[in-house]
Amino acid sequence: MLAQKLTDWLREQLKERDARGFVVGLSGGIDSAVTAALCKRACPGHVLGVIMPCFSNPRDAEDAMLVAGAFDIPVKTVALDKPFLQMVQLLTGQDYDPSDDDLTIANIKPRLRMTTLYFFAARNRYLVAGTNNRTELTVGYFTKYGDGGVDLLPIGNLTKCRVWELAGYLGVPRPIIEKAPCAGLYAGQDDEVELGVTYREMDEYILTGKADERVRKVVERLAANNAHKNQMPALPPF
């Protein structure tokens, strides 16, 4: 029922926006897999998956290809390592250190990916289907004008746990479902370690308002600090 409702909604979006299809950044993670699967159901002949390695774990591209193969989605691969290196050198005057977890540098990656996705979207009259879920949106766990720069968010109302459930229904390959969540912004990154709480803990608090004090504080702090990411640019009141 949920999958069909989301599929119908995606079709409505195409009609309302006079678009031909969807472009999805395939990261090798579960969110992009579910998003791509839904887009494929909605518009079988007009979905493009884009794999954009940028000093990424090689397994991510392999997993992205696994998803593309499972749902018969054509793929473009655009390696962003060189432009990323050039941007880092231009902005900092220094060479890139893959072990550096400086987010001001790491966030260049998703912003380059956003630029790449919109190139293909414009060329094909497609919509950029974002992959953020409700949990990430609630705490602002995404890059402003990076993976947050999209045309629509098919799974934006689904918590991470609900995405896991939907993935099983849609037939997302098991290795993707069982893969540890990781944004892949720097070497060794782990979503839940970085956040300090698990997705299941956050989801319970988001859905029920119940959680221990540690989880509540983390979620509310992140939501407050990142509220600007979910807002339109400020305009003067006059």
Side-chain angles (χ1 to χ4, degrees):
M1 180 68 74
L2 175 60
Q4 188 58 53
K5 285 184 176 180
L6 290 172
T7 299
D8 291 342
W9 178 80
L10 284 166
R11 288 174 180 152
E12 291 169 5
Q13 290 298 305
L14 288 178
K15 185 176 180 180
E16 290 177 8
R17 302 176 188 224
D18 191 29
R20 297 178 59 248
F22 302 100
V23 58
V24 185
L26 294 178
S27 68
I30 191 168
D31 296 314
S32 67
V34 169
T35 301
L38 290 169
C39 289
K40 177 70 176 185
R41 287 167 63 101
C43 192
H46 295 280
V47 178
L48 175 66
V50 186
I51 301 173
M52 297 166 282
C54 188
F55 288 91
S56 308
N57 185 331
R59 181 190 166 186
D60 293 340
E62 294 170 4
D63 288 343
M65 287 302 298
L66 178 63
V67 170
F71 298 106
D72 191 26
I73 295 172
V75 166
K76 293 277 189 181
T77 298
V78 181
L80 296 174
D81 305 73
K82 287 184 178 179
F84 174 72
L85 282 177
Q86 292 173 335
M87 285 294 293
V88 173
Q89 179 63 236
L90 178 66
L91 295 171
T92 70
Q94 299 177 347
D95 293 332
Y96 173 60
D97 177 2
S99 65
D100 191 350
D101 61 359
D102 183 347
L103 288 179
T104 62
I105 292 175
N107 278 328
I108 296 171
K109 296 180 182 181
R111 289 175 177 136
L112 287 173
R113 290 176 176 134
M114 183 270 290
T115 299
T116 305
L117 291 173
Y118 270 100
F119 167 80
F120 288 112
R123 275 292 176 96
N124 294 285
R125 213 170 85 226
Y126 283 4
L127 298 175
V128 176
T131 63
N132 296 120
N133 58 61
R134 179 179 174 183
T135 310
E136 293 168 336
L137 294 172
T138 298
V139 298
Y141 194 63
F142 60 91
T143 300
K144 192 172 186 177
Y145 302 119
D147 52 325
V150 298
D151 291 317
L152 68 172
L153 291 165
I155 61 172
N157 287 330
L158 306 183
T159 61
K160 187 74 169 185
C161 291
R162 196 75 173 98
V163 174
W164 275 315
E165 294 173 6
L166 184 56
Y169 173 81
L170 292 171
V172 172
R174 292 306 305 178
I176 308 301
I177 296 176
E178 296 169 358
K179 187 177 182 180
C182 174
L185 293 182
Y186 53 85
Q189 185 181 23
D190 181 295
D191 286 4
E192 294 179 329
V193 171
E194 184 176 35
L195 289 164
V197 291
T198 69
Y199 277 108
R200 295 191 184 281
E201 288 174 322
M202 288 190 290
D203 285 358
E204 181 178 7
Y205 182 55
I206 291 168
L207 292 172
T208 71
K210 299 177 182 178
D212 62 37
E213 189 68 5
R214 173 184 61 86
V215 174
R216 184 187 66 78
K217 284 184 176 180
V218 169
V219 172
E220 293 185 358
R221 173 178 56 79
L222 289 171
N225 291 346
N226 295 319
H228 65 94
K229 295 184 181 182
N230 288 308
Q231 299 169 347
M232 292 295 291
L235 294 172
F238 50 85

